[in-house]
Amino acid sequence: MKCLGLCCVSAFGKAIHALSRVGDELWFDPTVKGLALRSVNSAHSAYACFLFSPLFFQQYNLDSVREQDSGPIKCKLVMKCVLPLFRCSTSIEHSVKRCQISVSTGSDQVIVQFFCRHGRKLHK
C-alpha cells in the first residue's frame, strides 16, 4: 500500500494527535474506501476513528498488497513512535512539501517519508 502526497500534512497530524488522547495504540487500516486511523483506550470504553478518503491523497495505491495477500491489512503501531513524527503540525506544514506512507506486508513495516525543502526524512 502506498499513499503519496498528503494534501494536508497538518490535518493528518492533528488526527493522529487527537487519537493519541484516546489510546496508546494506533490501528492503521488501509482499505479500498480509504485509510482508516483508529484508536481505543485500554479499558475499551472509548473509541475514535478517522477515515481519509483516497481523494485526500495525490495517489492511493492498494495493488501491490492485493497481489501478495487477499486479506485485509491491519497494522498496530505504538503511539509513542508515531506521535513525534506528526507532533508539531505548524513546522511540518511550512517545511514539508510531500509525505509518502508505505505499508510493506512482507517485512511488516510502515514507512513514512517526509520530502522537505532541504532533503528527505525517512522513518521506519
Side-chain angles (χ1 to χ4, degrees):
M1 193 275 312
K2 279 191 177 180
C3 301
L4 281 171
L6 290 172
C7 293
C8 188
V9 178
S10 65
F12 196 79
K14 287 178 182 179
I16 291 175
H17 181 71
L19 291 172
S20 73
R21 294 178 180 217
V22 175
D24 294 333
E25 296 172 341
L26 176 69
W27 288 91
F28 195 83
D29 301 329
T31 63
V32 177
K33 293 182 180 181
L35 178 63
L37 301 177
R38 307 169 200 265
S39 184
V40 64
N41 69 350
S42 59
H44 296 284
S45 61
Y47 170 80
C49 175
F50 287 95
L51 178 64
F52 292 95
S53 166
L55 297 174
F56 184 77
F57 305 98
Q58 290 176 354
Q59 181 182 359
Y60 184 80
N61 186 1
L62 287 175
D63 294 335
S64 61
V65 174
R66 287 187 191 158
E67 294 171 0
Q68 296 173 1
D69 186 23
S70 60
I73 305 164
K74 293 191 178 186
C75 303
K76 181 172 70 170
L77 305 171
V78 179
M79 197 64 78
K80 287 181 183 180
C81 297
V82 178
L83 189 60
L85 301 178
F86 296 96
R87 184 172 296 272
C88 187
S89 60
T90 56
S91 66
I92 286 175
E93 191 174 329
H94 296 296
S95 65
V96 173
K97 292 182 178 180
R98 188 169 53 108
C99 177
Q100 177 179 339
I101 301 171
S102 304
V103 176
S104 175
T105 55
S107 61
D108 293 332
Q109 287 186 342
V110 176
I111 300 169
V112 179
Q113 293 182 7
F114 292 108
F115 295 91
C116 303
R117 292 180 189 165
H118 303 290
R120 181 180 79 164
K121 295 179 183 178
L122 177 69
H123 304 279
K124 291 184 180 184

